[in-house]
Amino acid sequence: MPIKSIPAIGILLLLLAVAAATAENNKGTYIVHMAKSEMPGEFVDHTRWYDASLKSVSGEAEMLYAYTNVVHGFSTRLTPAEARSMEARPGILSVLPESIYELHTTRSPSFLGLDQNAAMFPESDSASDVIVGVLDTGVWPESPSFDDTGFSAVPSSWRGECEIGTNFTKSNCNRKLIGARYFARGYEATLGPIDETKESRSPRDDDGHGTHTSTTAAGSVVSGASLFGYAAGTARGMAPRARIAAYKVCWIGGCFSSDILAALDKAIDDNVNVLSLSLGGGMSDFFRDSVAIGAFAAMEKGILVSCSAGNAGPTSYSLSNVAPWITTVGAGTLDRDFPAFVSLGNGKNFSGVSLFKGGALPAKLLPFVYAGKVRGKIVLCDRGVNPRVQKGSVVKEAGGLGMVLANTAANGDELVADAHLLPATTVGETTAKQIKDYLFSDSNPTATVLFEGTKVGIEPSPVVAAFSSRGPNSITPQILKPDLIAPGVNILAGWSGAVGPTGLAEDARRVGFNIISGTSMSCPHVSGLAALLKAAHPDWSPAAIRSALMTTAYTAYKNGKVIQDVSTGKPSTAFDHGAGHVDPVSALNPGLVYDLETEDYLNFLCALNYTASQINSLARRNFSCVAGKSYSVNDLNYPSFAVSTEARGGVVKHTRTLTNVGPPGTYKVSVASDDSVKIAVEPQSLTFGQSNEKKSYSVTFTAGAMPANANGFGRIEWSDGKRVVGSPVAVSWV
């Protein structure tokens, strides 16, 4: 029958059938999780077993990676049919399709009190023995932030290497940047060979993001740092004496989970002490989440894993990286700003922010337009989906002389500065409405932009960034996330020499330092601070370090008012700031910590009703939950409390154990809460006679009337009169 005589519905069905057949034959990357305990006796090496299992379903498929530490298994390319066949074979726990993660794109030390209290942190060999591994877009080794002057020999514990590749040799590593690797097999298997005219097939950073995050965490001290004179001063990472190991896993096409797992696998082998990942993907169960899986293995080896919370705020339930063995970091502001004022023809001035440096606007008011012919005029643009700097580039290309970028409701009054290609400033939503009132009502509107440089001492600060992802935790609501916030807005750090500060292809400017924003920036702040604590307390577990950072974080300004949420202009909550804003000086001596071991997390997985195979996929061991035993997520020894209740009068009980890491003393409890919940702690005092002594307590939460937003908040604090060990409480009605 001729095609033209087939009814429309028939053509649709035919096309769907063809599409389905094509999809069935198309190969994708899969992560294959194996039950190592079920390896047949004839195999003396697990990789031979992996290979034999793979060849049994596909004669032509090859392993991309065979994993050792983070997964018992491998990654490979299979058709959907082959993947189903593989999953049915003996010894196979799961066959999971690859995920693609995305990046969550120098006043910080001073703002955090590190400059004034440097003597409290060790400058001895212990500080330079700590190694921070950063999974990102690589490094620009020529950055002065990787200068190794004054560093001793590479720590004897280091087992990594400096891999060679495009524009990268072993000599690019030194006693500061002690290792650099790249992982691209998963990326290339999906998107084809790397185009080396666009990005380096090596650890070299052609993007800038990886150089920025690694130098934020542990960059060397560099005097005279700035971006075009903005934020001028001394740049230094949080842990300037720590060593850096770079693991390039992110490329132009994204960050592929098979590559991320391979990098985590190597980082554990290399013996890093802290891992920093400023990337994230969609939410999924922990046994399906490659970052959560890799972080679990790292935690078992005593490695703290710090991850960005995501830039999907201020929407609720927008978090990434919420596994309880990951430290999840949201973003706040510094007390620094870069004002650039809009001066209107009616005589009114409105404040905005900008990092523009270049030719000045004509010394007169210019025609001001919202749309239409832009040549020779200043253009008002609404902030939207495409990059902020790209809007300015389009205006410049069209002949516009300047730009006012207006926030919409999605961003509120949050101001993020950019190194625009033309004279431009960003204004908040409230200001934008007033500017538009003038623009649309005046028959001949005019404007100009005035740049004021760098201002410090901005109040209030910090405030929670509007973009910072928010709780509640959509995977395990009983675990409060984010854990805490750290500086993530307008952060100055090292940059790549391969790209301009805007990242746009048309930006020919090159800078040694750049100012950018995101939870990508707040994450390495905490990674570096964790390295400082690891140097000061080498025997502390990752959970103890996180606990110290969380329980000493602050939630209010010196005037007693709660940290503000810039997206609303109102006080933030524990779903916004977690335990609060990090305070590293207090974290050095927290007094008490909430510690956790691997078995605690395994019991937590039992409380989630994970099957034995799901636990095996995540924890790489045969672990069976005890039949008949009552497991409770509420009993995980976490430094914060997230309570789910169904109705007024509902009672929920949590238990916690505190470990003394300070001098002997008696700690008394105090509680605070709104009218929605009553908090009772038993006992009300804990006496510790020696270091590492443990004492337990229970908390009973009784729900009151459900608030309008179905959320209530409180706080539990233990104090010996000198130290305060604080925990936030968030209550949700479900």
Side-chain angles (χ1 to χ4, degrees):
M1 182 170 59
I3 291 288
K4 64 180 180 181
S5 65
I6 300 178
I9 186 65
I11 294 176
L12 177 60
L13 292 173
L14 178 62
L15 291 174
L16 289 174
V18 171
T22 302
E24 187 64 22
N25 290 319
N26 281 345
K27 288 193 172 185
T29 300
Y30 292 86
I31 314 293
V32 181
H33 294 255
M34 310 280 284
K36 194 173 181 180
S37 61
E38 297 181 26
M39 183 175 73
E42 65 262 28
F43 296 103
V44 294
D45 179 75
H46 63 278
T47 56
R48 293 183 181 274
W49 178 40
Y50 298 166
D51 188 60
S53 299
L54 176 58
K55 291 297 189 285
S56 69
V57 300
S58 175
E60 60 183 31
E62 295 183 356
M63 283 189 284
L64 297 174
Y65 298 104
Y67 304 109
T68 303
N69 298 302
V70 296
V71 170
H72 287 157
F74 58 94
S75 53
T76 187
R77 299 279 290 176
L78 299 170
T79 66
E82 290 169 342
R84 291 191 295 271
S85 177
M86 174 67 76
E87 198 159 29
R89 286 192 56 76
I92 305 297
L93 296 169
S94 62
V95 180
L96 303 177
E98 178 162 64
S99 300
I100 303 177
Y101 292 73
E102 61 182 17
L103 297 168
H104 286 150
T105 187
T106 44
R107 188 166 160 78
S108 311
S110 175
F111 183 69
L112 294 173
L114 295 179
D115 285 354
Q116 304 95 311
N117 298 276
M120 298 179 65
F121 292 89
E123 286 292 338
S124 61
D125 286 345
S126 64
S128 61
D129 283 345
V130 177
I131 303 165
V132 180
V134 182
L135 274 66
D136 212 293
T137 64
V139 285
W140 188 261
E142 292 81 10
S143 169
S145 295
F146 297 121
D147 181 24
D148 66 351
T149 300
F151 278 80
S152 58
V154 173
S156 58
S157 61
W158 175 244
R159 297 196 292 263
E161 63 179 88
C162 194
E163 294 182 354
I164 62 174
T166 312
N167 302 317
F168 206 94
T169 67
K170 291 188 180 296
S171 64
N172 287 126
C173 293
N174 58 20
R175 292 169 299 184
K176 175 65 175 179
L177 177 62
I178 61 173
R181 298 181 185 271
Y182 68 99
F183 302 84
R185 294 179 197 169
Y187 174 59
E188 291 185 313
T190 299
L191 297 180
I194 289 170
D195 182 348
E196 296 186 44
T197 66
K198 295 181 179 178
E199 54 184 339
S200 301
R201 197 176 189 279
S202 75
R204 182 166 290 279
D205 178 16
D206 303 300
D207 177 272
H209 192 277
T211 301
H212 199 281
T213 55
S214 57
T215 58
T216 296
S220 296
V221 177
V222 181
S223 60
S226 76
L227 171 64
F228 303 138
Y230 290 103
T234 298
R236 48 159 284 178
M238 296 298 98
R241 300 299 298 171
R243 317 297 179 119
I244 296 172
Y247 300 85
K248 184 176 179 178
V249 297
C250 295
W251 308 83
I252 290 175
C255 320
F256 286 69
S257 58
S258 59
D259 295 328
I260 292 171
L261 281 172
L264 291 168
D265 210 61
K266 279 296 184 184
I268 293 171
D269 271 342
D270 292 346
N271 219 18
V272 303
N273 304 108
V274 176
L275 278 166
S276 187
L277 289 81
S278 290
L279 50 83
M283 298 297 295
S284 60
D285 291 315
F286 302 136
F287 61 86
R288 296 179 179 275
D289 184 339
S290 292
V291 171
I293 291 169
F296 193 97
M299 171 275 298
E300 288 188 276
K301 297 291 187 179
I303 302 168
L304 181 137
V305 180
S306 171
C307 292
S308 48
N311 296 344
T315 306
S316 299
Y317 296 98
S318 55
L319 293 162
S320 295
N321 303 314
V322 297
W325 47 89
I326 290 174
T327 301
T328 311
V329 189
T333 62
L334 296 171
D335 62 342
R336 179 180 65 197
D337 215 344
F338 309 100
F341 293 89
V342 183
S343 182
L344 301 180
N346 61 3
K348 293 184 178 181
N349 294 324
F350 295 94
S351 62
V353 295
S354 182
L355 297 169
F356 171 75
K357 187 73 170 181
L361 287 167
K364 61 179 181 179
L365 293 172
L366 298 170
F368 191 27
V369 297
Y370 182 68
K373 187 175 179 180
V374 304
R375 183 169 297 277
K377 300 174 184 178
I378 291 180
V379 183
L380 180 72
C381 295
D382 287 324
R383 186 169 166 181
V385 177
N386 58 320
R388 300 180 300 269
V389 290
Q390 192 174 61
K391 289 180 179 286
S393 177
V394 171
V395 170
K396 183 179 181 180
E397 183 69 21
L401 294 183
M403 179 182 71
V404 176
L405 185 62
N407 276 3
T408 61
N411 307 103
D413 289 324
E414 174 180 68
L415 296 179
V416 177
D418 294 295
H420 292 284
L421 291 169
L422 82 171
T425 185
T426 300
V427 298
E429 181 192 16
T430 304
T431 296
K433 288 178 180 177
Q434 297 178 67
I435 293 175
K436 287 177 181 178
D437 286 343
Y438 162 73
L439 180 59
F440 298 147
S441 63
D442 195 291
S443 60
N444 186 32
T446 56
T448 191
V449 181
L450 307 171
F451 301 94
E452 297 263 321
T454 304
K455 301 290 184 183
V456 296
I458 302 298
E459 293 184 356
S461 62
V463 296
V464 179
F467 61 73
S468 187
S469 289
R470 314 302 172 97
N473 182 339
S474 62
I475 301 299
T476 47
Q478 305 92 331
I479 302 297
L480 181 61
K481 292 283 185 171
D483 290 316
L484 72 173
I485 61 171
V489 179
N490 298 334
I491 304 301
L492 178 78
W495 196 245
S496 169
V499 66
T502 64
L504 298 175
E506 59 267 34
D507 189 354
R509 301 170 298 177
R510 294 295 179 264
V511 296
F513 293 85
N514 199 8
I515 295 173
I516 56 176
S517 302
T519 54
S520 276
M521 285 61 255
S522 55
C523 167
H525 275 83
V526 168
S527 307
L529 296 176
L532 286 179
L533 294 189
K534 185 67 176 178
H537 304 285
D539 58 332
W540 280 10
S541 70
I545 292 173
R546 176 181 57 196
S547 174
L549 291 168
M550 289 177 63
T551 61
T552 58
Y554 61 91
T555 59
Y557 305 116
K558 292 180 180 179
N559 63 9
K561 293 185 177 180
V562 175
I563 291 174
Q564 189 180 107
D565 178 357
V566 74
S567 70
T568 62
K570 298 177 180 179
S572 60
T573 74
F575 288 138
D576 308 320
H577 60 235
H581 192 283
V582 67
D583 180 359
V585 177
S586 298
L588 190 63
N589 295 293
L592 307 173
V593 296
Y594 295 88
D595 209 355
L596 284 161
E597 298 178 350
T598 301
E599 186 175 351
D600 297 312
Y601 292 118
L602 292 171
N603 290 333
F604 165 79
L605 298 178
C606 289
L608 296 181
N609 295 317
Y610 276 22
T611 65
S613 64
Q614 289 168 345
I615 293 176
N616 199 338
S617 290
L618 178 59
R620 311 165 324 284
R621 73 195 68 199
N622 288 324
F623 183 86
S624 297
C625 304
V626 178
K629 180 178 178 179
S630 177
Y631 295 93
S632 174
V633 175
N634 297 340
D635 291 339
L636 184 69
N637 200 37
Y638 216 70
S640 56
F641 296 85
V643 182
S644 296
T645 185
E646 295 182 355
R648 182 180 184 134
V651 177
V652 179
K653 189 173 183 178
H654 287 235
T655 60
R656 293 292 189 271
T657 300
L658 284 162
T659 301
N660 182 34
V661 293
T666 296
Y667 286 78
K668 296 183 178 180
V669 73
S670 62
V671 299
S673 65
D674 55 30
D675 295 337
S676 66
V677 62
K678 180 182 177 181
I679 303 173
V681 178
E682 199 58 46
Q684 296 189 356
S685 68
L686 298 171
T687 298
F688 297 88
Q690 60 188 13
S691 181
N692 294 318
E693 186 177 359
K694 297 179 183 294
K695 291 288 179 74
S696 297
Y697 69 94
S698 64
V699 189
T700 302
F701 301 95
T702 305
M706 184 176 72
N709 64 357
N711 295 316
F713 301 96
R715 189 167 176 83
I716 298 172
E717 292 184 346
W718 293 91
S719 177
D720 64 350
K722 295 181 179 179
R723 302 165 188 82
V724 175
V725 184
S727 295
V729 174
V731 183
S732 298
W733 278 255
V734 295

